[in-house]
Amino acid sequence: MIEQIEARGILKGFNDRFRLECSLSLEAGCVHVLIGPNGSGKSTLMRILSLIERPDSGTLIYRGKRQYVDPFSEIELRRRVVLVNTRPVVFRESVLENVLYGLKIRKVSRREALRRAEHALKRVGLYEMRNESATGLSSGEKQRLSLARAIAVEPDVLMLDEPTVNLDPENTGVIEQVILSLKDPERIILFVTHNLFQARKLADQVIFISNGTILEQSSKDRFFVSPETEEARRFIRGELY
Ligand SMILES: Nc1ncnc2c1ncn2[C@@H]1O[C@H](COP(=O)(O)OP(=O)(O)OP(=O)(O)O)[C@@H](O)[C@H]1O
Ligand SMILES: [Mg+2]
């Protein structure tokens, strides 16, 4: 189990045009939402926190039974962290095989993998399509497939980048319920959304980022009722884009 992720003085720049500079902490048992305008660095920060991309400098500490001060070099740890992308890449195989793949590389037995994959597909409403080719799915179905892959892994840390952006209202509701049901005292969850109603519905903690800097990290109630910064007030009113 990972109890906490702490990011200290994380820096990441892209050719002088954009600079992410932030510190924050994520706790198990809590659903965190990361919100902020387009281009503010949400996806970049998520890639770093989920150990996909190293920052230019700064420290990222994963704390569990032991403390990982260089989590990027811990392959076993990285397998317990899943990032669900907005536009997931699927393999040219069946929907079911796409879910099984992540379990195969994690050395889960075939029998257990099948049980978990079928269960995950049922949860996102894709079980009936399990034998169809994944490349033929619509973008919303691919997003649900990608969430099923994540659920099947039973990760300690689950990060979702705009998980409902292409979905219709019914499927959005399904995914929101799945996210809520994945909340667990032993799991860290972080998701990005531009939907402030969704943020209010699902999150315990809000992290607000603007222009590469985290301006607020507070409880949902505090953030939406009395945000501390003018930027956050304008963002909530829909004026900051
Ligand atoms: N690999 C990259 N190479 C160069 N620039 C990048 C790269 N990734 C991100 N950027 C730039 O960094 C900035 C932040 O991008 P990022 O994708 O993190 O923003 P975001 O908050 O996720 O935005 P959105 O809400 O539109 O998804 C943008 O200006 C983007 O163009
Ligand atoms: Mg993004």
Side-chain angles (χ1 to χ4, degrees):
M1 167 194 177
I2 300 301
E3 282 155 20
Q4 188 196 38
I5 300 173
E6 189 190 346
R8 272 193 222 149
I10 295 290
L11 274 180
K12 180 90 191 174
F14 294 115
N15 356 303
D16 297 341
R17 219 165 40 81
F18 173 79
R19 194 173 151 91
L20 173 74
E21 192 168 359
C22 67
S23 298
L24 78 144
S25 78
L26 305 174
E27 318 291 332
C30 193
V31 176
H32 305 78
V33 63
L34 175 61
I35 56 177
N38 287 134
S40 56
K42 301 180 297 297
S43 297
T44 305
L45 177 58
M46 273 208 153
R47 285 199 304 277
I48 293 170
L49 293 172
S50 59
L51 310 175
I52 308 267
E53 194 170 317
R54 278 186 188 266
D56 299 336
S57 64
T59 318
L60 189 62
I61 304 170
Y62 268 60
R63 292 199 182 87
K65 243 186 232 150
R66 54 173 279 223
Q67 179 159 309
Y68 302 89
V69 285
D70 183 16
F72 287 93
S73 59
E74 303 273 353
I75 188 84
E76 284 304 319
L77 173 67
R78 292 177 71 168
R79 290 193 170 144
R80 287 150 55 199
V81 180
V82 171
L83 172 65
V84 177
N85 274 310
T86 315
R87 279 165 212 82
V89 176
V90 301
F91 309 118
R92 295 175 61 183
E93 288 183 54
S94 71
V95 167
L96 180 64
E97 283 301 328
N98 267 268
V99 181
L100 288 171
Y101 177 76
L103 301 172
K104 238 182 261 172
I105 59 170
R106 287 173 177 82
K107 313 250 185 318
V108 177
S109 73
R110 177 83 185 171
R111 201 188 145 122
E112 168 68 5
L114 258 180
R115 185 192 68 76
R116 285 205 218 166
E118 290 180 355
H119 174 69
L121 286 169
K122 280 179 191 157
R123 285 178 80 174
V124 303
L126 284 180
Y127 182 72
E128 305 303 325
M129 297 175 83
R130 65 192 178 285
N131 295 320
E132 294 185 21
S133 166
T135 44
L137 298 180
S138 73
S139 57
E141 287 162 348
K142 281 182 188 154
Q143 262 178 295
R144 285 191 279 145
L145 168 57
S146 166
L147 184 59
R149 280 172 173 165
I151 297 171
V153 166
E154 300 179 356
D156 286 352
V157 180
L158 176 63
M159 302 201 183
L160 309 118
D161 199 349
E162 301 189 47
T164 60
V165 77
N166 288 318
L167 302 182
D168 60 40
E170 187 184 342
N171 282 306
T172 298
V174 169
I175 296 308
E176 288 174 347
Q177 284 314 308
V178 171
I179 293 173
L180 277 181
S181 72
L182 290 168
K183 188 172 161 177
D184 186 296
E186 303 205 343
R187 179 173 291 131
I188 292 177
I189 301 180
L190 172 67
F191 74 101
V192 170
T193 185
H194 285 292
N195 178 338
L196 296 184
F197 292 106
Q198 185 171 66
R200 281 182 112 130
K201 213 182 320 173
L202 303 186
D204 301 306
Q205 285 278 317
V206 176
I207 300 162
F208 174 63
I209 186 170
S210 177
N211 206 11
T213 305
I214 291 176
L215 296 180
E216 300 197 30
Q217 177 169 14
S218 58
S219 73
K220 168 182 65 181
D221 292 338
R222 190 155 150 224
F223 180 81
F224 284 109
V225 175
S226 51
E228 282 171 16
T229 58
E230 183 54 29
E231 279 95 335
R233 280 191 282 277
R234 288 174 55 204
F235 183 75
I236 293 168
R237 289 199 302 260
E239 295 168 9
L240 192 68
Y241 283 100

